[in-house]
């Protein structure tokens, strides 16, 4: 008898876009900020990426401003420094992470601890006497309490353009990545470290690797709605692509996820997985029409390939591109309206003058120019109000 091959459904681009908006907490209108709602955003997203560039506002605060009206820095620092409902560490990059997930970071801690002495860039910064330096930093924090980089010796700069990391700063970074110390607080943007047990309590036992894989892939899919194995693996960078592929195959065989094809425009559809209720979830999403600016590291847009596929939006963060080669600007933010990215703006905060200066606005192809420019202006004015500034336009 002929073998019956089950039909594999294709997730249309529009549905994948709705699922991602929902998973990124951008389908509903912005709500009034409270500590509880800030924590809700962290829980919904899983983590919020941190970035130091302050041209407009630091990225983790911009991510909150996009979703909440009236947000203040203290609402986030309350959870990282007082309630301890969130902690700072690495996902795909430095992030504020929901505290319930700390147990899963033990794998990352152990991997980082094993890398000391492996010739990596961090080991090079630690220097030849790295064992002694690590011991000095451990002892200092144990005996003196929470300390920052400035509490340790700093050598003279080695020359123009040198990345000025002292061995003690490298030791703090290694001990933090290894989970021996934790970020207890920040002074401005400066990290203040203490022993992990004094910040988070005793470290939990390391879960089995298969439990980590199940958690990481499930949590990624819950937020993406549908994804390739590569997208699941790269969501938090906790598991390998091979592990994500194996999880997909197992979850499909057990009927816990749907095997699907993901529509990718003119390209061939690609194999992926989706939550079993992906159709119902996508149909429920009614994207909000409030014009909002997105930080370059917002979870909706940080995967540039997915962004191009789902929103037909090519985006490059140009802060590290030489000025003469930039196409749009040092800190360009996309404008989200509903389920479309209608424009992008090049802007900066001029705090001494109390203004959010919008230097240029680009409308996207296919968007009514007058309306898209008005939406970009409304989004810029909303952010300016959030930052206590006045938007000005060239």
């Amino acid at each position: 008898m002929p073998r019956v091959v089950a039909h594999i459904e294709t997730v249309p681009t529009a549905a994948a876009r709705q699922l991602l908006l929902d998973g990124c907490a951008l389908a509903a209108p912005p709500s009034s900020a409270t500590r509880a709602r800030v924590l809700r955003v962290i829980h919904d997203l899983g983590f919020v990426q941190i970035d130091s560039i302050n041209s407009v506002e630091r990225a983790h605060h911009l991510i909150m401003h996009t979703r909440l009206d009236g947000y203040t820095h203290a609402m986030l620092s309350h959870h990282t420094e007082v309630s301890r409902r969130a902690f700072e560490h690495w996902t795909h990059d430095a992030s504020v992470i929901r505290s319930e997930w700390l147990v899963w970071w033990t794998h990352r801690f152990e991997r980082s601890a094993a890398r000391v002495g492996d010739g990596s860039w961090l080991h090079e910064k630690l220097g030849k006497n790295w064992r002694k330096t690590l011991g000095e930093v451990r002892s200092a924090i144990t005996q003196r309490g929470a300390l920052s980089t400035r509490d340790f010796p700093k050598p003279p700069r080695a020359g123009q353009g040198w990345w000025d990391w002292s061995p003690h700063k490298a030791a703090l970074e290694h001990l933090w990545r290894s989970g021996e110390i934790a970020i207890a607080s920040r002074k401005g943007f400066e990290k203040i470290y203490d022993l992990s047990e004094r910040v988070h309590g005793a470290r939990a036992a390391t879960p089995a690797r298969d439990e980590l894989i199940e958690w990481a892939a499930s949590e990624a899919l819950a937020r993406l709605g549908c994804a390739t194995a590569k997208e699941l693996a790269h969501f938090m960078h906790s598991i390998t692509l091979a592990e994500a592929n194996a999880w997909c195959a197992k979850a499909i065989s057990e009927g816990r996820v749907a095997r699907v094809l993901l529509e990718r425009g003119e390209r061939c559809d690609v194999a992926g997985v989706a939550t079993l209720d992906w159709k119902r979830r996508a149909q429920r999403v009614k994207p909000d029409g409030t014009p909002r600016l997105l930080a370059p590291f917002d979870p909706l847009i940080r995967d540039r390939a997915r962004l191009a596929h789902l929103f037909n939006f090519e985006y490059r963060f140009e802060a590290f591109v030489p000025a003469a080669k930039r196409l749009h600007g040092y800190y360009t933010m996309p404008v989200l309206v509903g389920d479309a990215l209608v424009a992008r703006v090049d802007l900066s905060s001029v705090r001494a003058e109390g203004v959010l200066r919008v230097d240029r606005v680009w409308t996207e192809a296919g968007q009514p120019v007058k309306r898209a420019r008005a939406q970009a202006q409304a989004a810029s004015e909303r952010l300016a109000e959030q930052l206590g500034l006045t938007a000005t336009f060239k």
Side-chain angles (χ1 to χ4, degrees):
M1 295 181 64
R3 185 167 64 92
V4 178
V5 179
H7 172 67
I8 302 174
E9 290 190 283
T10 298
V11 179
T13 297
R17 196 163 53 235
Q18 310 289 66
L19 292 168
L20 185 60
L21 283 164
D22 186 46
C24 289
L26 284 170
S31 57
S32 297
T34 63
R35 287 176 180 172
R37 286 179 177 150
V38 167
L39 187 61
R40 181 75 263 163
V41 170
I42 298 171
H43 276 227
D44 288 346
L45 301 180
F47 59 89
V48 175
Q49 183 173 339
I50 299 170
D51 189 72
S52 62
I53 295 177
N54 202 23
S55 175
V56 176
E57 171 64 290
R58 291 193 170 95
H60 43 298
H61 298 311
L62 288 173
I63 290 168
M64 291 295 176
H65 283 306
T66 298
R67 292 157 176 80
L68 299 168
D69 288 328
Y71 163 79
T72 64
H73 295 189
M75 293 177 180
L76 181 59
S77 62
H78 173 79
H79 294 301
T80 56
E81 300 180 16
V82 181
S83 74
R84 302 297 186 193
R85 302 295 298 278
F87 70 101
E88 291 189 37
H89 216 273
W90 283 88
T91 53
H92 67 297
D93 211 318
S95 301
V96 173
I97 306 158
R98 53 187 292 182
S99 60
E100 297 91 340
W101 287 6
L102 181 58
V103 62
W104 302 107
W105 258 249
T106 53
H107 283 269
R108 197 179 302 253
F109 296 157
E110 291 174 359
R111 186 168 67 246
S112 294
R115 292 193 63 190
V116 68
D118 67 355
S120 65
W121 67 269
L122 187 55
H123 177 64
E124 290 180 8
K125 294 294 183 184
L126 279 167
K128 294 180 179 179
N129 297 320
W130 57 272
R131 290 184 180 87
K132 179 175 180 289
T133 303
L134 288 173
E136 289 173 350
V137 171
R138 283 192 193 99
S139 296
I141 293 178
T142 299
Q143 295 168 17
R144 296 166 55 192
L147 300 173
S148 68
T149 303
R150 71 177 61 212
D151 294 306
F152 295 92
K154 182 179 180 180
R157 295 184 68 86
Q160 187 67 26
W162 183 59
W163 191 19
D164 190 21
W165 273 47
S166 70
H168 290 90
K169 178 176 173 60
L172 286 167
E173 182 75 11
H174 171 74
L175 294 172
W176 173 60
R177 291 188 183 213
S178 302
E180 288 193 51
I181 63 176
I183 298 174
S185 62
R186 284 183 181 263
K187 185 176 181 180
F189 197 65
E190 182 182 23
K191 299 173 184 175
I192 312 297
Y193 301 93
D194 203 348
L195 297 178
S196 289
E197 57 262 34
R198 295 203 287 238
V199 178
H200 302 305
R203 182 189 293 189
T206 302
R209 186 74 191 179
D210 59 348
E211 293 176 326
L212 172 72
I213 296 166
E214 176 63 35
W215 165 79
S218 298
E219 293 289 356
L221 186 59
R223 286 160 179 80
L224 300 176
C226 60
T228 64
K230 182 178 179 180
E231 289 168 340
L232 296 181
H234 286 186
F235 187 80
M236 283 181 281
H237 285 249
S238 293
I239 60 176
T240 67
L241 177 56
E243 288 171 333
N245 271 311
W247 180 86
C248 289
K250 184 172 185 288
I252 289 169
S253 69
E254 294 173 351
R256 295 188 287 118
V257 303
R259 180 185 179 191
V260 297
L261 294 174
L262 305 177
E263 190 175 71
R264 290 294 158 96
E266 296 179 358
R267 294 177 53 195
C268 296
D269 295 343
V270 298
V273 292
T275 60
L276 295 177
D277 64 344
W278 69 265
K279 286 184 184 177
R280 185 168 65 254
R281 280 182 61 186
Q283 290 170 354
R284 284 201 311 261
V285 175
K286 307 297 180 187
D288 171 63
T290 303
R292 312 187 226 190
L293 294 178
L294 299 178
F297 310 109
D298 193 282
L300 189 78
I301 67 173
R302 74 165 183 261
D303 185 325
R304 309 301 195 222
R306 184 172 60 219
L307 176 68
H309 293 319
L310 297 188
F311 292 88
N312 193 30
F313 192 90
E314 299 288 343
Y315 179 66
R316 184 184 186 190
F317 182 52
E318 297 183 300
F320 304 110
V321 176
K325 296 184 178 181
R326 292 176 191 146
L327 295 178
H328 297 107
Y330 178 85
Y331 205 90
T332 303
M333 299 178 68
V335 180
L336 175 69
V337 181
D339 67 347
L341 295 171
V342 302
R344 66 189 83 197
V345 297
D346 177 28
L347 70 173
S348 60
S349 294
V350 188
R351 294 171 180 85
E353 300 175 14
V355 301
L356 179 68
R357 188 179 67 201
V358 180
D359 291 325
R360 290 191 65 183
V361 177
W362 293 264
T363 59
E364 291 302 297
Q367 295 293 331
V369 174
K370 186 175 181 180
R371 184 176 68 185
R373 289 188 68 86
Q375 291 168 329
Q377 180 172 336
S380 300
E381 289 173 343
R382 176 179 177 268
L383 179 59
E385 182 179 1
Q386 295 271 80
L387 299 178
L389 305 173
T390 301
T392 63
F393 300 84
K394 281 192 174 182

